[in-house]
């Protein structure tokens, strides 16, 4: 049968057209049959009314669906300064009031005479039982592995991006070379070589191109590269070793043990997060300007709404130095604790670092541990500077991550590998933390400490988790959770600096 399709002409009325594969329409009736024409017009009018009614209904239904979204958006728009104008209270955790909380609690923090936490006894959880099940490594020496890589072709990988993107790219590239039975070629990063060999497979970028559920012998290649083969260049490893030893010397009050903090509170990070930190309209204008310079129109795309309060509630805002300090003091680390701060240039450093220095006067950075002459070869190279931070954080007794990303994920896995299966990492629950820091009714410093110590215990529990890995079904990253696949590479007593400073 022929299918009729309704089209709207310029006046909004429906006309009929037919499909190409159907028989021709019947001839139009003669004009003299006026009564038939009148009936036909009535039927057509009725059809048009029905069609128009359906269109109107669909439009109304669309509005009915959109209106609740607009209403919710309107409520969210009330988060922050605008809510004060209309007399509405801000949702809990949506406004940065950590500075006021610090000023209110500081007298109690100063006179807190409770016993300080011992760094060597922070972690109560022991590695899970299944971690102790030692499986033999694949029966292959380095020579056998080298011979197994045939001459099918060359795999060239561009390892651009940050330090740990490069690390991930190299590990994955070796794994793919094993899958392809190919010779792997990794160019030096300082140069942009152009490879014209017709046998070349060129894959770029490569950091996250290979799934985690690969055969065991391929997973073993990843482990071998990440924990045995990959090493920093001699200039980096030499200065990194000096920085670690200097941190140990400056931590004599705590038996040579120190806490490292990866702080993502650089200017560009704060701007990209779209969060506000109590600087009023001047801060908002400054952040808008930075976003405009760094990302052009990315944050001005149609339909995009910036909601700093909602970002904060959802735990997406970078922690400030002050918030990290309050959290650590609440967990029981006293002002004798040595802190290594791994970070780029802190946003408004003088303002934001002052409270942290009050709480932890023994605060160090690579800039304070090394001379300007020692750091000169690294200036302007973010990956080289990150490599120094990575090494000092790797050998700290406790590592604190504040914002996610490749850097902390690789560190957590590397520290699990070194420390018997435990990440020894504090990963704060930021959604909970912002509620506590904004709460004007926080009754006491003791109440805040109780919450922070519960958060530390949860980090301890999660730090010792080993994912259940069945054959070919791993979903978590082997770089963050190296066991059980990388267990065979572990060396006994592999927790000292001397045996691991070959990075």
């Amino acid at each position: 049968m022929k299918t009729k399709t309704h089209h709207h002409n310029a006046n909004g009325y429906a006309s009929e057209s037919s499909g190409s594969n159907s028989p021709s329409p019947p001839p139009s009736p003669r004009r003299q049959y006026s009564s038939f024409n009148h009936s036909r017009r009535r039927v057509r009018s009725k059809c048009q009314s029905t069609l128009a009614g359906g269109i109107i209904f669909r439009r109304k239904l669309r509005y009915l669906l959109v209106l609740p979204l607009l209403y919710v958006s309107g409520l969210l728009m009330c988060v922050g300064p605008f809510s004060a104008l209309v007399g509405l209270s801000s949702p809990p955790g949506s406004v940065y009031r950590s500075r006021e909380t610090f000023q209110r609690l500081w007298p109690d923090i100063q006179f807190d005479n409770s016993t300080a936490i011992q760094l060597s006894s922070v972690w109560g959880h022991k590695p899970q039982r299944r971690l102790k099940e030692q499986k033999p490594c694949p029966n292959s020496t380095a020579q056998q592995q080298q011979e197994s890589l045939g001459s099918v072709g060359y795999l060239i990988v561009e390892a651009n991006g940050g330090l740990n993107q490069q690390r991930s790219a190299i590990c994955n590239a070796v794994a793919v070379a094993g899958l392809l039975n190919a010779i792997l070629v990794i160019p030096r990063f300082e140069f942009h070589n152009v490879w014209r060999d017709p046998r070349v497979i060129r894959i770029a970028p490569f950091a996250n191109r290979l799934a985690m559920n690969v055969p065991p012998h391929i997973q073993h290649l990843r482990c071998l590269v990440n924990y045995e083969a990959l090493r920093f260049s001699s200039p980096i490893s030499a200065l990194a070793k000096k920085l670690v030893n200097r941190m140990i010397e400056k931590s004599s009050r705590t038996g040579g043990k120190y806490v490292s903090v990866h702080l993502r509170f650089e200017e560009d990070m704060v701007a990209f997060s779209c969060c506000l930190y109590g600087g009023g309209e001047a801060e908002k204008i400054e952040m808008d300007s930075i976003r405009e310079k760094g990302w052009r129109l990315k944050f001005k795309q149609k339909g995009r709404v910036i909601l700093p309060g909602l970002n904060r509630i959802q735990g997406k805002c970078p922690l400030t130095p002050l918030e990290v300090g309050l959290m650590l003091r609440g967990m029981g680390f006293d002002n004798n604790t040595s802190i290594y701060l791994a970070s780029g240039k802190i946003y408004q450093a003088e303002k934001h670092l002052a409270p942290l220095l009050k709480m932890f006067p023994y605060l160090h950075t690579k800039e304070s541990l090394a001379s300007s002459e020692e750091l000169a070869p690294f200036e302007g190279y973010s990956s080289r500077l990150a490599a120094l931070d990575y090494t000092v954080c790797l050998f700290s007794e406790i590592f604190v991550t504040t914002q996610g990303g490749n850097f902390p994920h690789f560190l957590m896995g590397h520290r699990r590998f070194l420390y018997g299966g435990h990440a020894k990492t504090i990963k704060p629950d930021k959604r909970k933390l912002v509620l506590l820091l904004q709460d004007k009714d926080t009754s006491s410093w003791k109440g805040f400490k109780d919450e922070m110590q519960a958060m530390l215990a949860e980090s301890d529990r999660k730090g010792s988790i080993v994912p259940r890995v069945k054959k070919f079904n791993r979903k978590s990253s082997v770089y963050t959770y190296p066991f059980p696949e990388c267990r065979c590479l572990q060396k006994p007593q592999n927790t000292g600096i001397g045996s691991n400073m070959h990075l």
Side-chain angles (χ1 to χ4, degrees):
M1 291 184 62
K2 183 175 183 178
T3 304
K4 291 185 177 181
T5 307
H6 291 280
H7 299 280
H8 289 82
N9 59 25
N11 295 320
Y13 294 96
S15 60
E16 294 177 353
S17 62
S18 49
S20 58
N21 298 325
S22 301
S24 301
S28 298
R30 294 182 180 179
R31 291 185 178 275
Q32 57 263 34
Y33 300 110
S34 58
S35 59
F36 180 78
N37 288 339
H38 179 69
S39 298
R40 187 179 179 187
R41 283 195 297 270
R42 288 177 60 189
V43 172
R44 181 181 297 177
S45 176
K46 187 175 181 179
C47 290
Q48 290 171 350
S49 299
T50 303
L51 180 60
I55 293 173
I56 292 172
F57 176 77
R58 286 197 297 271
R59 287 178 178 173
K60 287 184 176 179
L61 181 62
R62 189 183 305 165
Y63 288 132
L64 289 173
L65 293 173
V66 170
L67 282 174
L69 295 176
L70 291 174
Y71 177 73
V72 173
S73 299
L75 289 178
L76 293 175
M77 290 291 287
C78 292
V79 174
F82 180 72
S83 61
L85 298 177
V86 295
L88 297 176
S89 59
S90 302
S94 63
V95 180
Y96 179 77
R97 292 205 180 102
S98 302
R99 188 170 292 275
E100 291 89 334
T101 301
F102 169 68
Q103 291 171 348
R104 186 173 70 254
L105 295 178
W106 177 236
D108 293 330
I109 296 173
Q110 281 182 294
F111 296 104
D112 186 355
N113 295 320
S114 58
T115 304
I117 194 169
Q118 297 297 315
L119 296 188
S120 58
S121 60
V122 170
W123 313 117
H125 280 78
K126 296 181 180 180
Q128 296 185 16
R129 182 174 297 176
R130 65 176 179 274
L131 183 60
K132 297 179 181 179
E133 298 174 0
Q134 184 83 17
K135 292 185 178 181
C137 289
N139 187 19
S140 61
T141 64
Q143 179 67 26
Q144 289 172 328
Q145 290 172 358
Q146 185 176 359
E147 291 175 354
S148 69
L149 296 177
S151 56
V152 173
Y154 296 95
L155 173 66
I156 295 179
V157 57
E158 278 190 5
N160 295 325
L163 169 69
N164 290 289
Q165 285 179 315
Q166 293 176 1
R167 178 182 287 268
S168 175
I170 295 169
C171 294
N172 288 342
V174 171
V176 170
L179 285 168
L180 297 177
N181 193 30
I183 294 174
L184 176 65
V185 178
I186 303 176
R188 292 184 63 183
F189 301 139
E190 291 85 354
F191 301 96
H192 299 282
N193 295 330
V194 179
W195 299 87
R196 301 187 182 279
D197 193 313
R199 294 173 297 169
V200 166
I201 300 173
R202 188 171 182 271
I203 304 175
F206 202 71
N208 301 299
R209 293 297 181 93
L210 183 63
M212 288 298 158
N213 53 334
V214 296
H217 70 285
I218 299 300
Q219 205 74 287
H220 173 68
L221 278 176
R222 278 173 158 164
C223 297
L224 193 66
V225 174
N226 197 35
Y227 300 117
E228 291 286 342
L230 267 180
R231 305 183 183 191
F232 294 135
S233 64
S234 297
I236 292 175
S237 59
L239 181 55
K241 186 172 183 178
K242 289 180 182 178
L243 297 184
V244 172
N245 288 330
R246 290 169 189 174
M247 272 304 303
I248 293 173
E249 291 171 5
K250 292 179 179 296
S251 306
S252 57
R253 297 168 306 282
T254 51
K257 301 182 184 298
Y258 60 93
V259 177
S260 62
V261 178
H262 183 225
L263 186 66
R264 293 308 315 273
F265 202 67
E266 300 91 352
E267 185 179 80
D268 58 343
M269 189 66 191
V270 174
F272 188 82
S273 71
C274 297
C275 298
L276 294 176
Y277 293 92
E281 189 63 23
E283 180 185 347
K284 183 179 181 301
I285 293 172
E286 181 183 11
M287 291 295 104
D288 286 341
S289 175
I290 294 169
R291 284 190 287 267
E292 180 71 21
K293 291 178 182 177
W295 296 279
R296 300 290 181 181
L297 299 177
K298 177 181 175 68
F299 292 91
K300 291 186 178 180
Q301 295 175 353
K302 187 177 181 181
R304 180 157 190 167
V305 180
I306 294 177
L307 300 171
L310 183 61
N311 290 346
R312 185 165 173 81
I313 291 172
Q314 293 178 343
K316 295 179 180 178
C317 293
L319 293 182
T320 64
L322 182 152
E323 290 172 327
V324 172
L326 279 172
M327 177 185 72
L328 291 177
R329 287 300 294 263
M331 288 177 174
F333 301 98
D334 67 5
N335 61 357
N336 284 318
T337 305
S338 291
I339 303 285
Y340 179 81
L341 202 60
S343 174
K345 186 178 180 181
I346 302 294
Y347 171 60
Q348 295 185 353
E350 186 176 349
K351 170 185 174 183
H352 289 291
L353 283 175
L356 180 60
L357 281 166
K358 271 188 175 183
M359 290 181 275
F360 294 99
Y362 300 105
L363 183 72
H364 307 281
T365 64
K366 54 184 172 290
E367 288 81 10
S368 67
L369 292 173
S371 67
S372 56
E373 291 78 13
E374 288 175 315
L375 287 175
F378 302 88
E379 294 297 339
Y381 298 93
S382 59
S383 290
R384 297 179 190 180
L385 293 170
L388 297 176
D389 281 338
Y390 185 96
T391 307
V392 183
C393 290
L394 182 63
F395 295 105
S396 62
E397 183 65 19
I398 298 163
F399 172 61
V400 183
T401 175
T402 63
Q403 190 59 21
N406 283 323
F407 187 96
H409 287 165
F410 269 85
L411 261 171
M412 282 189 282
H414 208 150
R415 290 166 62 79
R416 280 189 171 98
F417 183 79
L418 292 180
Y419 296 114
H422 199 296
K424 290 195 172 186
T425 299
I426 295 175
K427 190 175 181 182
D429 181 347
K430 293 202 289 185
R431 294 188 179 192
K432 180 178 181 180
L433 188 60
V434 297
L435 292 174
L436 293 170
L437 292 174
Q438 187 185 332
D439 187 5
K440 292 182 177 179
D441 299 324
T442 299
S443 57
S444 66
W445 170 239
K446 182 182 181 304
F448 183 79
K449 284 185 67 175
D450 291 342
E451 296 286 354
M452 292 301 98
Q453 287 164 6
M455 192 178 292
L456 176 62
E458 181 65 6
S459 284
D460 181 12
R461 184 188 71 82
K462 289 182 177 178
S464 61
I465 287 177
V466 178
R468 295 187 179 276
V469 180
K470 296 181 181 178
K471 192 173 183 180
F472 303 153
N473 78 334
R474 174 185 268 275
K475 295 180 181 179
S476 57
S477 169
V478 72
Y479 305 122
T480 306
Y481 298 96
F483 301 126
E485 295 95 329
C486 304
R487 178 69 170 171
C488 63
L489 295 175
Q490 258 195 329
K491 296 178 177 63
Q493 306 297 324
N494 194 20
T495 58
I497 294 174
S499 62
N500 294 292
M501 283 305 299
H502 60 271
L503 290 170

